[in-house]
Amino acid sequence: MSAVDIHTNPYKQDFPLLANNPQLAFIDTAATAQRPAAVINAQMEFYQTLNANALRGLYKLSAEATLAINGARKHICEFINADDPKDIVFCRNTSEALNMLAKAFAPTILKPGDEVCISIMEHHSNLIPWQQVCRETGAKLVYMRPDDQGLITDEEIASKIGKNTRIVSVMQVSNVLGVENPVKKICAAAHAVGAYMIVDGAQAVPHMKVDVADLGCDFYVFSAHKLFGPMGIGVLWGKKNLLEAMPPFLTGGEMIDAVTETDATWATVPEKFEAGTQDAAGIYATDAAITYVESIGFDAIQAREAALVEECMKRLAELPFVEIIGPDDPAKHHGVVSFNVKDIHPHDVAGILDTEDVAIRAGHHCAQPLLSWLGVDSCCRASFAFYNDAQDIEKLIHGLNTVWGMFNA
């Protein structure tokens, strides 16, 4: 058993929603994280002290807003160990970043007979865009499938990434199983056949230190709202030469160098991909979110979350009517524990838990092909962050006993 004390909680006080609702067990962080006061205050501070359209004005306030956005870009670059802040592109979310790559990058390299390789466990955001681009280009979509513990083996990588593979796109951490995929191995296999590697880091960045240089990937994408930042901010990092070769995804203001009546030339990266007014306050608050995470440190975050997952799985295993989905080893569940209650629909489970002030997710979690492969229509998901504690788990277990009792009185 972990030595981390999950019965005490020094973090909930940092999160206004949790501090103001002490009765709430919020266990749905994989969908969106709560925001600390530092992030909420930063967003307010931007509008109160820096509110001007960044990049567009020559006056002092606009220049200060521009400096703030450039500072956030630099901080994010350092956070994922990238080389150049100009390779950080802001968008709305992970979904938009992946669509940008599928719509702007993929068509420049795909032709009929080529293959795009993803895993069966992908979030729909990293699946549907590739379905669409394969249909449009004549390429074939190939799926890697995990073993019975949810792990992609070396043999599976070797059998699915081959001479026809041009793009590989996988999530670093599954939002259903919690497993960390062997991204570094997959990246090496992709590059060995001349393919490009895209990593969906939405579920990874809140739980572990990300190092794009070490992973060796060509593109990395994530969302701020899962990293305790604001909704509506996404990040796309790419290798400079690839970003420079890509055409823009959206066109309009700010992404141009010059426009005539008949033509236009594009601005340099990253502005080329940031058409229109950006959510400057959200970007500024994302900077604050990263500062907050770094103040805690990933060693402390991972240790606490591992202890929470271990305790949750132990307590769920004591309920004979609960079936845990995913690896047997708690250490392989990065903040996520999915499960089902025997003969009770997950929507009913979540609805009754809500009456007990327990917030979990129920459904297909935007991963229908994975659930079909697992042989279930839907499931319950408890997803943890470092701001959770043993009391949240106790409320979950009590609520599940209430659910079972209501259906089996």
Side-chain angles (χ1 to χ4, degrees), residues 68-224:
I69 300 313
N70 288 342
R73 208 185 297 272
K74 182 176 184 292
H75 196 180
I76 292 167
C77 179
E78 295 166 349
F79 183 66
I80 62 172
N81 195 32
D83 289 331
D84 188 344
K86 291 184 178 180
D87 299 335
I88 301 294
V89 176
F90 291 118
C91 51
R92 291 186 307 151
N93 43 50
T94 304
S95 298
E96 184 171 275
L98 290 165
N99 272 273
M100 187 185 303
L101 293 173
K103 297 297 185 182
F105 172 69
T108 67
I109 63 168
L110 290 178
K111 63 183 186 300
D114 287 342
E115 293 179 354
V116 175
C117 182
I118 64 175
S119 81
I120 197 69
M121 66 180 75
E122 298 306 317
H123 190 283
H124 295 165
S125 294
N126 198 31
L127 190 156
I128 297 172
W130 304 114
Q131 285 181 340
Q132 297 295 314
V133 77
C134 284
R135 186 174 295 116
E136 293 163 2
T137 62
K140 178 184 178 183
L141 190 58
V142 175
Y143 290 91
M144 290 183 285
R145 301 173 191 273
D147 62 17
D148 61 1
Q149 290 294 299
L151 307 176
I152 296 176
T153 64
D154 293 351
E155 293 74 21
E156 183 69 2
I157 296 169
S159 68
K160 297 300 173 64
I161 298 176
K163 60 183 178 62
N164 294 324
T165 307
R166 295 293 287 146
I167 294 174
V168 180
S169 188
V170 297
M171 54 171 39
Q172 189 169 1
V173 172
S174 168
N175 69 314
V176 176
L177 302 177
V179 296
E180 181 181 3
N181 286 321
V183 169
K184 194 171 179 178
K185 283 185 179 180
I186 295 172
C187 182
H191 288 163
V193 298
Y196 297 96
M197 181 72 186
I198 298 165
V199 179
D200 173 357
Q203 295 293 334
V205 290
H207 301 291
M208 60 188 63
K209 177 61 180 171
V210 169
D211 185 333
V212 295
D214 181 62
L215 293 176
C217 54
D218 298 296
F219 298 98
Y220 194 95
V221 300
F222 64 93
S223 294

Side-chain angles (χ1 to χ4, degrees), residues 1-9 11-12 26-27 29 207 300-316 330-331 333-337 382-394 396-397:
M1 187 66 181
S2 171
V4 176
D5 182 7
I6 58 174
H7 294 276
T8 60
N9 193 334
Y11 303 113
K12 274 188 177 177
F26 182 81
I27 322 177
T29 295
H207 301 291
I301 288 172
Q302 288 184 298
R304 186 172 179 87
E305 290 176 351
L308 288 163
V309 167
E310 183 179 1
E311 177 67 11
C312 181
M313 289 183 66
K314 174 189 171 187
R315 296 296 303 278
L316 288 176
H333 291 252
H334 292 277
V336 173
V337 181
S383 53
F384 296 92
F386 58 87
Y387 50 56
N388 290 115
D389 52 37
Q391 181 181 345
D392 295 330
I393 297 171
E394 189 61 44
L396 171 64
I397 298 303

Side-chain angles (χ1 to χ4, degrees), residues 195-259:
Y196 297 96
M197 181 72 186
I198 298 165
V199 179
D200 173 357
Q203 295 293 334
V205 290
H207 301 291
M208 60 188 63
K209 177 61 180 171
V210 169
D211 185 333
V212 295
D214 181 62
L215 293 176
C217 54
D218 298 296
F219 298 98
Y220 194 95
V221 300
F222 64 93
S223 294
H225 76 99
K226 297 183 191 294
L227 186 61
F228 316 100
M231 294 182 179
I233 297 296
V235 172
L236 162 64
W237 167 83
K239 290 182 177 176
K240 187 180 298 295
N241 63 312
L242 299 178
L243 292 174
E244 289 176 343
M246 276 174 58
F249 177 53
L250 299 172
T251 56
E254 198 55 44
M255 50 72 61
I256 54 89
D257 180 49
V259 181

